[in-house]
Amino acid sequence: MTEMLSGGDMLIRSLQDEGVEYIFGYPGGSALHIYDAIFRQQKIEHILVRHEQAATHMADGYARSTGQPGVVLVTSGPGATNAITGIATAYMDSIPMVVIAGQVPRDLIGTDAFQETDMVGISRPVVKHSFMVRDASEIPGIVKKAFHIATTGRPGPVVIDVPKDTTDPAETFAYDYPDSVNLRSYRPAYEGDMDQVKIAVAAILAANRPVFYVGGGVIQADAKDSLRALVRAVGAPVASTLMGLGAYPGTDKLSLGMLGMHGTYEANMAMDDADLVIALGARFDDRVTNNPDKFSPKAKIIHMDIDPASIDKIIDSHIALVGDAQWVIEAIWAEYQSQVKARSAQQSDGQAEHLADWWQQLDGWRKDHGLNHALKPEQGKAILPQLAVQTLYRVTKGEAFVSSDVGQHQMFAAQYYHFDEPRRWINSGGLGTMGFGLPAAMGVQMGSPDAVVACVTGEGSFMMNMQELSTCLQYGLPIKIINLNNQALGMVKQWQDMQYGGRHSQSSYSDSLPDFKTLVEAFGHVGVKVSDATELDAAMEWAFSEENKNRLVFVDVWVDPHEHVYPMAIKGGRMRDMILSKTQTVGSPS
Amino acid sequence: MRAILAVLLENEAGALSRVVGLFAQRNYNIETLTVAPTEDLTLSRLTLTTTGDQDRITQIIKQLDKLIEVISVTNLCSADHVERELLLVKVRAVDEARQEVKRSADVFRGQIVDVTSDTYTVQLIGPSNKLDAFISTIGDNGADSIILEVVRSGVSGIGRGNHTLSV
């Protein structure tokens, strides 16, 4: 017998049937029927944040770390607009998310009613798709479509705008959750084209200086095993984007680390000198390519992406592969094996010997300008932010989930915490959203309750969403916050140092910072301040000690405020054009 | 390069705003836009003209195709096609201009669809450049222009022969 449910109950039941564990949200007038439906059930836990932006980042962190879509519930008007930054963050990094927004009743839409805003309109440029519920009976079908669209193809956030009267408890409907979705206008490619795969493999076999350029798409597709098998078979180096860190192990000898604006010297030199760039799930972002007209001038480009619109958008490819990263990489690997077999019947030298010269060159670059020099703590000297990340890495044995905010600390974390596994590095790469780090870490911790979760942040970013310390207490989230406190907006200041004659316009607030230790204590947590390099180890050990296993710990690390992030790409140049330190530049400005 | 894009999309509320929003968001240009439901009322057919180099047109097509409600997109200019636009132009038609406008309308195979003692309204159908030519023929008088009002429908187009755009 079909059950008769109200719109609000159908919405929550649909989420249950979709397997949703958590809803991250904040109630308000237009969403109250839905909140009442949440109250009357036990399957889904609702996490009450302190600001809607944090709800979206929490859902985002949950999605990035678990691979499951994050679910957000907010009310109309300001609830919806506060969610926009988090939706845009998820959109830029292709994160699966379903955002349910309350809306004023249908007969008030368009009348400038209290807490009315055109959520479908205001979110349109930053969603993969959106729905407005026009009739309560549509709710199960819309929820099914929303999850399907959010999680397939190139993932992304989907908004469902729900007018209050469609969730009215007084009106009930026969509930039936659809088993499948069939959208004639949405059929994302999954399998790639085998002919193109064959051409790509022939190009890989013919290359003398190949480099894998690996992005977040490989992580989204859970394709790490295929990627690792392929890379090891070919024996070519791997340069990872900010979003791709961990897809290939950062500590492996074939890894060159991160490429791009603040990438390693060896990764950028390799990209510039390569004769074949194998781009897997990456989109040639401007923070990677530097000047696209001067990008990898000697290279043939293989570009694999699930989104056809990414192909040839910035850089023209020679061989395009559209499809799911897992499918395509596995197909390349299988084809590679069979072509190698066929070839070695005629030739004796394998690909490894064939790449020996290339590796000699790569190792030379790596030796000269690798990031892996040990930074020694010196008494009385300011703590280098890189040292703080290295210490975190050592204390957590490189196994923590690390979220970050945006700025210098983000780049230091990306450079010095060598991720060996995917979905461990959680940061806002595309939109660059300050305030992301803490709520994202909270979402990670919700999804992996027993995991060690660290948030590497800066005092500027942290203060954008620090109200969530209260949420952390409510749900007992034992996150470790590593605050690289340079008493300024570090990356802004760095650019002002380098490009504006050191004029620090509006980038400092050093005389008005809170005492973070007292601040977190007021929220019911514990904190420690470190300003001497020799005390750093002990503070970090204490933060992650058994004693603090179930507590949120805030480590306020006062770092050298004059430190810059290097390497740094020279604007308008080739990838090999980099500033390596305050005194050393290689290549030339355009 | 000019492109005439024919787009088949779900006839749903909000679908058109996504198409138009995409152009604004990505800094693409819309020159003309016309849209109406097809014989299948669940579908709308949209014709849009834009300009750009080949890379840009390709990117516009891909971005349109990415919209969930878009079923198919094609650039009509990449094959033989028929292009038509409707023009309604109201002119001050007094003295010798009254005969002149009538003669020009005949030459261009237009029709006078409304008449008052001192105005004519001319209807003309054809490719956009024919409409441009008619407007410049009757309006080529600077400050003394007799044109009172111009309404154009925007381009509608369809492929020739067996080329069809369907679900």
Side-chain angles (χ1 to χ4, degrees):
Chain A
M1 204 184 76
T2 34
E3 265 180 286
M4 298 300 288
L5 296 178
S6 71
D9 285 327
M10 285 200 293
L11 181 60
I12 297 304
R13 178 64 75 82
S14 300
L15 296 177
Q16 289 177 355
D17 286 347
E18 201 55 52
V20 171
E21 276 184 297
Y22 298 111
I23 296 173
F24 305 96
Y26 202 102
S30 297
L32 285 182
H33 293 331
I34 306 171
Y35 271 90
D36 193 60
I38 290 174
F39 189 85
R40 291 181 279 98
Q41 58 87 54
Q42 269 85 43
K43 279 192 183 166
I44 299 178
E45 188 181 354
H46 180 277
I47 308 299
L48 177 65
V49 293
R50 301 295 179 269
H51 187 291
E52 290 88 349
Q53 183 190 348
T56 52
H57 293 329
M58 262 187 103
D60 184 318
Y62 173 85
R64 288 179 203 240
S65 58
T66 64
Q68 300 300 310
V71 180
V72 176
L73 174 58
V74 294
T75 191
S76 62
T81 56
N82 279 346
I84 292 293
T85 300
I87 296 171
T89 303
Y91 179 71
M92 288 294 276
D93 290 342
S94 309
I95 304 304
M97 184 186 284
V98 174
V99 180
I100 298 160
Q103 181 55 281
V104 300
R106 283 170 293 182
D107 60 352
L108 289 184
I109 291 176
T111 65
D112 302 319
F114 176 65
Q115 291 195 331
E116 182 191 359
T117 195
D118 173 13
M119 180 55 168
V120 166
I122 207 166
S123 64
R124 200 205 62 242
V126 295
V127 295
K128 184 169 172 188
H129 196 56
S130 50
F131 295 94
M132 154 86 74
V133 174
R134 288 175 196 276
D135 190 275
S137 63
E138 302 172 344
I139 288 173
I142 286 178
V143 172
K144 184 79 191 173
K145 283 183 204 165
F147 277 86
H148 175 67
I149 291 168
T151 55
T152 55
R154 180 176 180 174
V158 176
V159 162
I160 308 177
D161 204 25
V162 188
K164 185 172 186 180
D165 57 321
T166 66
T167 57
D168 188 344
E171 249 188 299
T172 59
F173 303 82
Y175 174 75
D176 184 21
Y177 197 65
D179 297 327
S180 60
V181 189
N182 186 16
L183 292 167
R184 62 181 169 184
S185 59
Y186 175 68
R187 297 206 175 111
Y190 183 80
E191 297 183 7
D193 178 345
M194 264 323 282
D195 291 339
Q196 289 291 94
V197 167
K198 284 179 184 157
I199 296 168
V201 169
I204 293 171
L205 279 163
N208 294 314
R209 296 187 311 282
V211 56
F212 287 98
Y213 154 37
V214 173
V218 174
I219 294 175
Q220 296 276 3
D222 290 320
K224 74 158 187 179
D225 292 336
S226 309
L227 173 77
R228 292 169 184 200
L230 174 65
V231 168
R232 283 169 187 153
V234 176
V238 181
S240 175
T241 70
L242 179 67
M243 297 306 298
L245 293 172
Y248 194 80
T251 55
D252 188 274
K253 63 182 191 318
L254 300 185
S255 171
L256 302 177
M258 184 168 74
L259 81 176
M261 180 174 271
H262 294 297
T264 65
Y265 176 77
E266 56 268 35
N268 288 335
M269 293 301 284
M271 289 291 285
D272 190 80
D273 200 43
D275 67 350
L276 179 71
V277 168
I278 308 153
L280 302 174
R283 61 184 174 88
F284 297 87
D285 182 83
D286 55 278
R287 286 294 191 268
V288 165
T289 59
N290 206 354
N291 186 342
D293 296 333
K294 299 175 185 172
F295 176 79
S296 302
K298 305 168 207 165
K300 193 176 247 196
I301 311 282
I302 299 175
H303 190 182
M304 190 275 309
D305 203 289
I306 195 154
D307 179 4
S310 284
I311 310 272
D312 301 339
K313 184 174 71 173
I314 310 290
I315 300 290
D316 283 336
S317 61
H318 301 88
I319 303 164
L321 291 159
V322 177
D324 174 76
Q326 165 59 25
W327 193 98
V328 176
I329 295 172
E330 193 162 293
I332 295 175
W333 176 79
E335 177 63 22
Y336 182 83
Q337 301 291 354
S338 80
Q339 286 198 25
V340 165
K341 213 180 235 176
R343 224 168 78 129
S344 57
Q346 300 148 19
Q347 290 166 249
S348 58
D349 68 321
Q351 182 102 3
E353 292 127 73
H354 175 67
L355 297 181
D357 289 350
W358 181 222
W359 272 108
Q360 200 173 357
Q361 172 76 78
L362 292 163
D363 286 337
W365 287 328
R366 187 139 60 179
K367 199 157 124 267
D368 287 350
H369 295 281
L371 288 169
N372 297 312
H373 43 268
L375 302 156
K376 291 219 178 63
E378 284 181 62
Q379 187 148 26
K381 280 239 171 134
I383 301 171
L384 287 176
Q386 298 93 327
L387 175 67
V389 176
Q390 281 185 333
T391 308
L392 171 69
Y393 179 77
R394 205 183 59 250
V395 169
T396 57
K397 301 183 186 66
E399 290 168 354
F401 285 87
V402 178
S403 78
S404 86
D405 272 292
V406 171
Q408 286 186 321
H409 69 268
Q410 177 191 25
M411 292 300 115
F412 292 134
Q415 290 175 334
Y416 287 87
Y417 201 102
H418 308 289
F419 294 91
D420 279 340
E421 290 300 323
R423 302 195 180 278
R424 295 277 174 87
W425 167 235
I426 312 291
N427 86 129
S428 167
L431 196 67
T433 308
M434 290 173 69
F436 175 82
L438 174 61
M442 292 159 63
V444 173
Q445 191 82 74
M446 292 302 310
S448 309
D450 300 323
V452 175
V453 181
C455 168
V456 176
T457 186
E459 80 294 332
S461 289
F462 177 71
M463 285 193 289
M464 282 203 181
N465 264 325
M466 63 181 176
Q467 77 284 346
E468 297 307 318
L469 287 170
S470 172
T471 311
C472 290
L473 187 73
Q474 184 174 356
Y475 296 95
L477 302 175
I479 293 159
K480 309 298 180 266
I481 301 169
I482 314 303
N483 186 42
L484 303 187
N485 189 340
N486 59 0
Q487 308 122 63
L489 302 175
M491 192 59 97
V492 169
K493 206 172 129 201
Q494 173 171 345
W495 283 47
Q496 289 170 338
D497 283 338
M498 297 171 81
Q499 297 170 25
Y500 298 90
R503 294 184 296 281
H504 297 155
S505 178
Q506 303 299 314
S507 53
S508 179
Y509 36 50
S510 57
D511 51 1
S512 53
L513 281 172
D515 174 353
F516 286 104
K517 182 175 181 296
T518 314
L519 178 88
V520 298
E521 283 170 1
F523 276 96
H525 306 296
V526 293
V528 58
K529 177 180 167 177
V530 199
S531 48
D532 190 311
T534 55
E535 291 161 6
L536 182 61
D537 262 359
M540 203 73 86
E541 297 277 3
W542 175 75
F544 290 90
S545 66
E546 197 57 29
E547 175 192 353
N548 287 321
K549 191 165 184 280
N550 297 315
R551 291 201 290 195
L552 182 148
V553 182
F554 189 97
V555 186
D556 189 20
V557 187
W558 282 53
V559 297
D560 184 348
H562 306 297
E563 190 60 16
H564 287 174
V565 181
Y566 295 112
M568 182 166 177
I570 297 174
K571 195 174 161 15
R574 287 166 67 155
M575 283 186 79
R576 67 175 185 189
D577 301 329
M578 286 170 269
I579 304 165
L580 296 176
S581 70
K582 284 183 182 168
T583 53
Q584 194 189 3
T585 294
V586 291
S588 56
S590 54
Chain B
M1 204 174 79
R2 175 168 177 261
I4 305 174
L5 303 181
V7 182
L8 206 56
L9 74 165
E10 298 287 356
N11 183 12
E12 283 173 1
L16 179 62
S17 74
R18 284 183 223 277
V19 172
V20 175
L22 173 73
F23 277 74
Q25 178 186 350
R26 295 194 181 265
N27 201 20
Y28 305 146
N29 178 35
I30 298 179
E31 290 193 341
T32 73
L33 173 70
T34 155
V35 61
T38 67
E39 85 289 2
D40 173 352
L41 293 180
T42 67
L43 295 173
S44 288
R45 167 88 174 222
L46 181 149
T47 313
L48 188 153
T49 58
T50 185
T51 52
D53 61 18
Q54 186 58 53
D55 283 352
R56 171 161 279 225
I57 302 295
T58 305
Q59 187 60 214
I60 291 173
I61 291 171
K62 285 177 172 177
Q63 292 293 349
L64 280 169
D65 216 13
K66 210 163 120 175
L67 294 175
I68 304 293
E69 284 145 335
V70 168
I71 296 165
S72 43
V73 193
T74 188
N75 179 5
L76 294 173
C77 291
S78 53
D80 283 346
H81 64 279
V82 179
E83 162 194 350
R84 290 290 180 271
E85 189 177 357
L86 168 70
L87 166 74
L88 293 172
V89 54
K90 188 178 287 182
V91 296
R92 197 179 335 104
V94 290
D95 308 331
E96 60 268 39
R98 212 164 167 87
Q99 273 311 307
E100 189 55 36
V101 169
K102 174 89 175 60
R103 262 199 303 277
S104 299
D106 287 342
V107 169
F108 280 84
R109 296 173 197 266
Q111 291 169 283
I112 293 169
V113 293
D114 186 51
V115 180
T116 68
S117 57
D118 53 1
T119 67
Y120 278 152
T121 299
V122 182
Q123 168 190 302
L124 187 62
I125 295 168
S128 303
N129 55 9
K130 176 177 163 182
L131 273 47
D132 295 340
F134 179 70
I135 291 168
S136 82
T137 302
I138 60 168
D140 203 17
N141 292 312
D144 298 330
S145 172
I146 59 168
I147 295 178
L148 300 172
E149 203 175 352
V150 168
V151 185
R152 297 175 70 148
S153 65
V155 173
S156 281
I158 195 164
R160 282 192 189 275
N162 291 326
H163 292 289
T164 58
L165 190 64
S166 57
V167 175

